[in-house]
Amino acid sequence: MRLTDEEKKILQGGQGEPRRIAMKILTHLGEAFGAERMIPVASAHLVACSYQIAGEAGIEIYTRLVEQGARVSVPTTLDPGSIDFERWNEFKTPKEYVKRQIVISELLQKMGVIPTWSCTPYYFLNIPLFGQDLAWSESSAVIFANSVIGARTNRMSAYLDICAAIVGRVPYFGLHIPENRKGEILIELTSELSDHFSDVYFPVLGYLIGQVSEDKIPVINGVPSASFDQLKAFGASAAATGSIALYHMVGVTPEARNLNEAFQGAKPLKKIQIGIGDIQETMENMRTYTSGKIDIVAVGCPHASIEQMRRYAKLLKGKHVHKEIELWICTNEVVEFMAKKMGYIKTIEKAGGRIMVGTCLNDCPLSKWNFCCLVTDSGKFTYYTPTTIGTKCYYTGTEECIRIAIEGRIGEKQ
Ligand code: F3S
């Protein structure tokens, strides 16, 4: 790789051991992917901040970095941790787990990271601009930054992300290169699906597109319009079932004002048509449990926005969650703060819902709960919870999730 004089100095240890190690690792990464040079990044987002992911090895790595004086050199935010720092007791988190998560938190903050503990950093405190290069981990945040904002990041992984945060650089390859961002396969929605597209379909369409796109960049044509939250749900789902880090949605996302722009003038390698039948079939496949009693309803994956909090509060106002059901809403401290001010938290908690802040079902140890059947409006929870929590799962829309939480079962009352 061609390195600048400053990068060579870093590599020779002229700016301290942590920067030398970080640069060495990133140089190897660049060489493996044929990168010719490094580029500066505007921010980083780290994933190995939860004790569940980092474990004792992560504590050891971060301890050594801190002892050697490591500091991040660009704004760096954190993915969800493994505990709700305020309510861990309420979520039956083992004390030892809490202690170890606090150690990680302290170490990372000594390096200068911003303790956001959220998978939606793009809503606050780490908001990228169009065309900016980033070093982000967290598949749902990466796909959002690339596709919805038009920023540029590869799917970084644990520890590569902290290396990039320390030196403020990444090797120039993959999605940082504009030509590599062109669409490769065309996903055409039938007019019947397009005309009846609804909120509940976004995670389902993402789930299906993640499965059919393999390692190609999909261009979706036929989604009439989409909100930030709908794109967030769509992307998280697609990035969970597939290795997608970028999609284009024609007329919706910034690098796809039309089909020609999405494909950068090239022809699609493949065309796939998706109709209502495909959506219904995928929705059925997302359900490993279809009727009867359940024990938990979880929403807010990716972390709920203030608009989603408003929606939950409205649906729960004057109602009560069934006494045998847990209703959990995952979000971050910033949204929680605002939702408290706006009275949403009071309404949700009065109805018997719990707010889970700075973590989520997939990052928090939940074995003490013995959950068996989860209902969710998230494609990403649907995909991961059978493995992480070991529950059966029922996917449905947000309104239906809340209705089920109140009535206590899927299907008709008995
Ligand atoms: Fe975020 Fe957890 Fe979902 S990290 S995207 S709420 S699985």
Side-chain angles (χ1 to χ4, degrees), residues 86-137:
E86 295 292 321
R87 310 167 176 85
W88 56 267
N89 205 14
E90 207 182 294
F91 288 105
K92 304 184 188 175
T93 315
K95 267 198 187 133
E96 196 47 38
Y97 219 91
V98 176
K99 282 187 199 156
R100 301 313 276 161
Q101 180 63 67
I102 289 171
V103 170
I104 292 177
S105 171
E106 287 169 353
L107 287 167
L108 287 168
Q109 286 183 70
K110 278 184 186 152
M111 288 190 267
V113 302
I114 309 164
T116 44
W117 305 113
S118 181
C119 46
T120 58
Y122 43 81
Y123 275 142
F124 63 101
L125 297 174
N126 191 352
I127 306 170
L129 297 177
F130 180 85
Q132 261 180 349
D133 290 293
L134 317 171
W136 281 23
S137 294

Side-chain angles (χ1 to χ4, degrees), residues 79-80 119 138 140 236 300-303 330 359-360 362-363 378 380-381:
D79 224 36
C119 46
E138 167 52 47
S140 71
C301 167
H303 275 175
C330 306
T359 182
C360 77
N362 283 335
D363 279 317
S378 160
K380 185 166 175 179
F381 269 170

Side-chain angles (χ1 to χ4, degrees), residues 13 18 80 89 100 140-142 145 159 192 211 223 226 263 277 305 321 338 360 368 409-410:
N89 205 14
R100 301 313 276 161
S140 71
V142 166
Y159 307 117
E192 190 196 8
Q211 289 173 325
V223 175
F263 284 102
S305 66
V321 173
M338 197 49 67
C360 77
K368 285 191 183 164
R409 54 183 299 116
I410 304 168

Side-chain angles (χ1 to χ4, degrees), residues 155 184-185 187 208-218 238 241-246 269-270 272:
R155 263 169 88 148
E184 294 173 298
I185 58 172
I187 311 276
L208 178 56
I209 288 178
Q211 289 173 325
V212 299
S213 296
E214 297 166 353
D215 59 346
K216 303 286 181 283
I217 297 172
T241 59
S243 56
I244 303 178
L246 166 67
L269 302 174
K270 194 160 81 168
I272 298 171

